[in-house]
Amino acid sequence: MTPLIWLVIAPLLGALAVLVVPARRMPAVALGAAAATLGAALALAAQVAGLGPRTVLLGGWTPPLGIVLKADGLGTAFAVMAALVMSGVALAARHELAPDKAGARAAYGFWPLMLLVWAALNTVFVSRDLFNLYVGLELLSLAAVALVALAGSREALAAAMRYLLFALTGSLLYLAGVVLTYSAHGTLDMAMLLARVPATGDGVALGLMTAGLMAKTALFPFHVWLPPAHAAAPAPASAMLSALVPKASLVILLRVWFEAMPDAAGDAALLVMAGLGAVAVIWGGVQALVQRKIKLVIAYSTVAQLGYFIIAFPLTGGDSAVKPWSAGAWTGMVFLALSHGLAKSAMFLVAGIWYSACGAQELRDLKGLARALPMSAFAFALAAVTLAGLPPSGGFTGKYLMMQAAFVAGLWPFALVMVAGGLLAAAYLYRPLAALFAKDEAISCAPVSRVRQAVPLALAAAAIILGVLSAEPFSFIKIGKPDAAVEGL
Amino acid sequence: MNGLDILALSASALVGLGIYGLLAARHLLRRVLAFNLVGSGLFLWFGAAGARGGVGVDPIPQALIITGIVVALAASALGVALVVAHARLSGPTLPEEAPCDPEPDNRA
């Protein structure tokens, strides 16, 4: 069987397998499934890089009857990023969610839910059928809500409930759009939708799907559920909730707009969406600046970063021969999303180490912590470089491409917003960094093994490497890139 | 009024009632029920759309509706489990929303 199939099946089988083995064997089985999925993602990436996009017709049925799975540069790049983050999360969770630390309930529930999240993510990354994407998205939301509720505290349950209400409303809106699309065109396959005869209801269908996906991605103004939910979960769960889960609905948003219905996009709608993104960048940044708890700072930073992705929508296109950089907004956004995933997961894992080893939850508890745990403080600083968009990180490459596109497209206010967002990020990340490296008494921390500290460091370093070696991923993302990403919406 | 109109009108009524419930109800169980109303309305609408061609019935919407019902059932089960767990610890409404009883709480 091909790596493309294993990418989806391995975590799914793993999620079932961890439920039937004795509790003490769960981490080992889950790590085995993680290794298999990571291997499948890397093998798929090698295939896509060498041979171009890979396609599997499920059961040998062609669309519109069957469902097609297709791995292009975009989906594969996200699958590899998810595999790296998930492997790091699994290694961290072996310590953080040991039964004697997190309690038997959380220790038991985490492993199958983590693998289910992973299976759903990979399904979304390679699906091209609107209904298959709906099922993948629902599996993802249900597993993610359960992860938020894992801690079982009053706050965690309230956050999970709020998240569930937003997620359910979002999926109903998306489903309504899917139903409209099917009744107008009789197909849900994206390639066939691209070749459809436009119908009058297309704009409504696209609008409904977009609203639903925005609620699931926590794009402003649907972001209110995100910070409490991400802050309430155990740290390894927060890492994947913040770094990966919003990316799934973002990828669907990208595919619906660029691959299924690029012709239905209107300038006004694009500007409204990008305007919401701009508000999200500023609002998330300001909120992150005033938080006292470290996990809430990181979570509000996600609200801000998600805004950048949606800003890119109207910036794509332009005459690429005359203005070669104008085609860069789509690629820049993907770059930004990939490096955000790596950096954000590193930050949450580091916050988890600080909480479990030193009891540090608030920013003021971090004073002098760099002396006690230098490796984790360095990992946090590296991740901060990426989130603030400083060179040579992947975050810089992505923002640079998007700002170029903003000037070329004549939408320079968005470039200003991106600069302001970068400054805000530097400001809200300066607060934890200043506390970490303050010359206070070194606070006492329980010993933390080097491996456990090395995991977030490796993830944060990967986000930097993405910027240093940007030529290779740059051409990889472009494999199978939709025409609309080059020509603009 | 033919059969399809009745289906479309009932579907719209279900979706409308459900959306009202999602927005207006504070009790969490009512909200989970409202989600199911909207979902049922959408499925009814989808099924009616599949019968629209005139010659026979398109089977794909039916297959998708069954899948959708399974997904909605799983979501409702999780929702109800969360409502029960939440109600045991802190009551049946979300903390930022005023409890159904507007009188000030004198227990403290």
Side-chain angles (χ1 to χ4, degrees):
Chain A
M1 283 209 278
T2 65
L4 176 53
I5 296 288
W6 279 113
L7 188 70
V8 176
I9 289 182
L12 211 50
L13 287 179
L16 296 175
V18 289
L19 288 174
V20 297
V21 297
R24 66 197 151 79
R25 295 263 168 81
M26 284 176 102
V29 174
L31 283 176
T37 317
L38 178 64
L42 293 177
L44 179 64
Q47 274 194 354
V48 171
L51 305 166
R54 313 304 302 153
T55 308
V56 169
L57 297 174
L58 293 185
W61 297 94
T62 51
L65 205 55
I67 292 170
V68 60
L69 298 184
K70 186 175 169 196
D72 57 355
L74 170 75
T76 313
F78 273 101
V80 170
M81 189 270 281
L84 292 176
V85 170
M86 279 294 187
S87 307
V89 163
L91 287 174
R94 251 178 44 193
H95 302 274
E96 299 254 342
L97 286 151
D100 53 330
K101 272 194 200 147
R105 180 170 166 274
Y108 178 78
F110 178 79
W111 297 105
L113 289 172
M114 179 203 116
L115 290 164
L116 277 181
V117 165
W118 200 353
L121 283 169
N122 286 345
T123 309
V124 167
F125 292 152
V126 298
S127 290
R128 290 297 188 285
D129 180 279
L130 290 180
F131 198 80
N132 206 38
L133 285 168
Y134 167 73
V135 174
L137 203 55
E138 283 299 279
L139 178 59
L140 182 67
S141 292
L142 296 184
V145 168
L147 276 173
V148 172
L150 209 55
S153 66
R154 197 176 283 233
E155 296 79 30
L157 287 175
M161 198 67 228
R162 201 176 297 116
Y163 182 10
L164 183 72
L165 289 173
F166 270 90
L168 291 182
T169 313
S171 52
L172 288 175
L173 288 168
Y174 177 79
L175 186 64
V178 172
V179 170
L180 261 185
T181 309
Y182 186 85
S183 50
H185 302 292
T187 181
L188 293 169
D189 182 71
M190 287 195 174
M192 297 183 73
L193 282 175
L194 186 62
R196 78 200 189 282
V197 181
T200 41
D202 285 356
V204 179
L206 187 61
L208 283 169
M209 284 192 274
T210 305
L213 291 169
M214 281 173 78
K216 292 231 180 199
T217 318
L219 289 166
F220 190 91
F222 305 113
H223 65 284
V224 290
W225 59 265
L226 185 145
H230 289 189
S238 313
M240 58 182 152
L241 288 173
S242 220
L244 300 176
V245 173
K247 303 290 163 22
S249 32
L250 179 75
V251 166
I252 303 181
L253 203 57
L254 270 178
R255 293 216 192 276
V256 170
W257 280 77
F258 285 92
E259 291 179 33
M261 300 186 173
D263 48 294
D267 282 347
L270 286 171
L271 281 179
V272 168
M273 276 173 72
L276 290 176
V279 179
V281 168
I282 304 298
W283 176 251
V286 171
Q287 284 292 319
L289 203 51
V290 300
Q291 297 303 318
R292 285 205 317 236
K293 287 190 174 175
I294 178 73
K295 279 180 102 177
L296 279 174
V297 172
I298 310 177
Y300 271 107
S301 152
T302 299
V303 172
Q305 298 279 328
L306 289 170
Y308 288 115
F309 307 145
I310 203 169
I311 286 181
F313 277 70
L315 305 184
T316 52
D319 190 353
S320 48
V322 184
K323 311 162 197 160
W325 279 109
S326 62
W330 189 87
T331 321
M333 180 211 329
V334 176
F335 242 91
L336 207 56
L338 292 174
S339 48
H340 169 255
L342 293 167
K344 192 50 64 79
S345 58
M347 276 195 173
F348 266 116
L349 291 181
V350 165
I353 292 178
W354 292 341
Y355 177 57
S356 68
C358 321
Q361 245 185 322
E362 308 224 346
L363 288 181
R364 59 162 190 252
D365 302 336
L366 298 179
K367 279 193 180 147
L369 216 153
R371 212 172 298 174
L373 295 170
M375 214 155 129
S376 64
F378 184 57
F380 190 88
L382 273 186
V385 167
T386 302
L387 287 190
L390 301 177
S393 65
F396 169 76
T397 316
K399 269 190 204 168
Y400 179 74
L401 289 172
M402 279 175 61
M403 282 175 70
Q404 286 276 2
F407 284 118
V408 172
L411 295 168
W412 55 268
F414 289 114
L416 291 186
V417 169
M418 282 185 253
V419 172
L423 289 174
L424 272 171
Y428 65 67
L429 292 169
Y430 170 76
R431 294 171 67 228
L433 284 172
L436 278 173
F437 293 97
K439 284 185 186 167
D440 276 42
E441 299 275 309
I443 58 170
S444 61
C445 290
V448 180
S449 73
R450 274 172 191 277
V451 179
R452 209 174 136 199
Q453 287 198 64
V455 167
L457 186 60
L459 288 170
I464 302 280
I465 292 170
L466 193 63
V468 176
L469 305 175
S470 50
E472 288 288 317
F474 188 80
S475 49
F476 184 81
I477 292 168
K478 284 190 182 167
I479 298 171
K481 184 173 168 174
D483 293 340
V486 182
E487 291 157 10
L489 287 173
Chain B
M1 186 188 272
N2 63 28
L4 274 182
D5 283 341
I6 294 173
L7 289 180
L9 282 175
S10 334
S12 315
L14 281 174
V15 172
L17 279 173
I19 289 176
Y20 174 75
L22 273 180
L23 292 176
R26 281 198 293 254
H27 197 290
L28 290 170
L29 193 58
R30 283 176 186 260
R31 286 194 172 171
V32 174
L33 288 176
F35 157 75
N36 276 282
L37 272 186
V38 182
S40 308
L42 286 177
F43 295 141
L44 184 59
W45 177 26
F46 202 7
R52 214 175 38 171
V55 196
V57 176
D58 184 357
I60 289 183
Q62 299 184 1
L64 298 185
I65 289 169
I66 291 174
T67 317
I69 288 175
V70 173
V71 170
L73 177 72
S76 308
L78 178 66
V80 171
L82 267 180
V83 171
V84 170
H86 187 270
R88 278 196 187 132
L89 282 179
S90 29
T93 51
L94 283 174
E96 74 271 16
E97 288 162 2
C100 303
D101 177 8
E103 293 201 5
D105 191 16
N106 295 324
R107 279 172 295 176

